[in-house]
Amino acid sequence: ARNTVACPGSVTCKRGLNDTVELADLLSARFYAREGLPHKFKTAVSGCPASCAKPQGSDVGFLGAVEPIFDEVEGDCIACGICAGVCPTGAISLDDDGRPVIDLGLCERDGECVSACPTGAIRANKRGWRIFLGGNFGRRPILAYEVGGIVDTAEAVEVAERALEAFVRHGQGRDRLRVVVDRVGLDEFLKEVL
């Protein structure tokens, strides 16, 4: 397997949601130069939705994520609307009282609303990594499948390990992971990985 590519993450980047260096080091220590693979196996880690390390174009990629929740127990909402204003996808609307309503189907989990909320009424419900499997930026580029929910760093390493094991089990010739996933079927492959 190749060395893991990572952006600077939260260590130096103001947009970084997680410590990409920690996860990249764990992945590299576990997979770098591993032999017996059908073909190359690339991993990438980005700390935020800017995707600087292109996790969607790697065999296994991870993207820093913060899932927001509106919780007045944590802070009194002052109906300022800042959260809706900073949301780049329009995932936050305001109800008749000016309180936020979060549509997680539209949310890219960038944590902008959590950082912007002056009272803490919007907080991080979950912080971790979004998972991408089967990307490739080679001769036939294709974006990875986003799978599962948000996982912590230890779970991310285990998901990558299980994906690599399934790749070895099912790979033929010089298959890349995406070819294996598509041949086995995404749902079946995920039963072995998640």
Side-chain angles (χ1 to χ4, degrees):
R2 306 267 175 108
N3 212 1
T4 300
V5 175
C7 72
S10 62
V11 174
T12 58
C13 180
K14 68 179 183 173
R15 294 209 178 269
L17 300 171
N18 293 328
D19 186 347
T20 57
V21 175
E22 176 191 20
L23 179 54
D25 285 348
L26 290 168
L27 293 170
S28 290
R30 196 129 176 210
F31 304 124
Y32 180 67
R34 188 177 288 188
E35 296 181 8
L37 305 180
H39 199 35
K40 58 187 162 187
F41 185 81
K42 295 182 178 180
T43 53
V45 182
S46 284
C48 76
S51 299
C52 295
K54 301 177 183 74
Q56 300 93 334
S58 295
D59 294 298
V60 175
F62 297 99
L63 184 69
V66 171
E67 181 178 286
I69 188 170
F70 175 59
D71 184 357
E72 287 197 85
V73 172
E74 292 294 319
D76 292 324
C77 179
I78 56 175
C80 64
I82 292 173
C83 53
V86 300
C87 180
T89 61
I92 300 177
S93 58
L94 302 176
D95 68 14
D96 292 339
D97 295 323
R99 305 244 187 271
V101 177
I102 303 170
D103 181 346
L104 290 177
L106 294 176
C107 180
E108 64 180 26
R109 291 156 176 79
D110 62 2
E112 294 290 331
C113 58
V114 173
S115 297
C117 182
T119 66
I122 293 186
R123 64 177 176 80
N125 184 44
K126 192 165 190 179
R127 179 181 294 273
W129 305 100
R130 291 165 56 192
I131 308 164
F132 295 88
L133 294 175
N136 185 359
F137 280 152
R139 292 179 187 204
R140 291 176 290 282
I142 190 161
L143 292 177
Y145 296 111
E146 182 170 0
V147 299
I150 296 174
V151 297
D152 66 25
T153 298
E155 291 170 307
V157 174
E158 292 308 313
V159 165
E161 179 68 49
R162 290 189 298 270
L164 184 66
E165 290 169 359
F167 180 45
V168 169
R169 250 190 322 279
H170 300 291
Q172 300 170 0
R174 293 177 51 84
D175 285 346
R176 289 294 298 269
L177 182 67
R178 179 56 172 259
V179 172
V180 172
V181 171
D182 288 346
R183 183 175 55 245
V184 170
L186 180 60
D187 291 339
E188 289 301 313
F189 191 82
L190 292 180
K191 289 177 185 175
E192 299 181 43
V193 174
L194 298 180

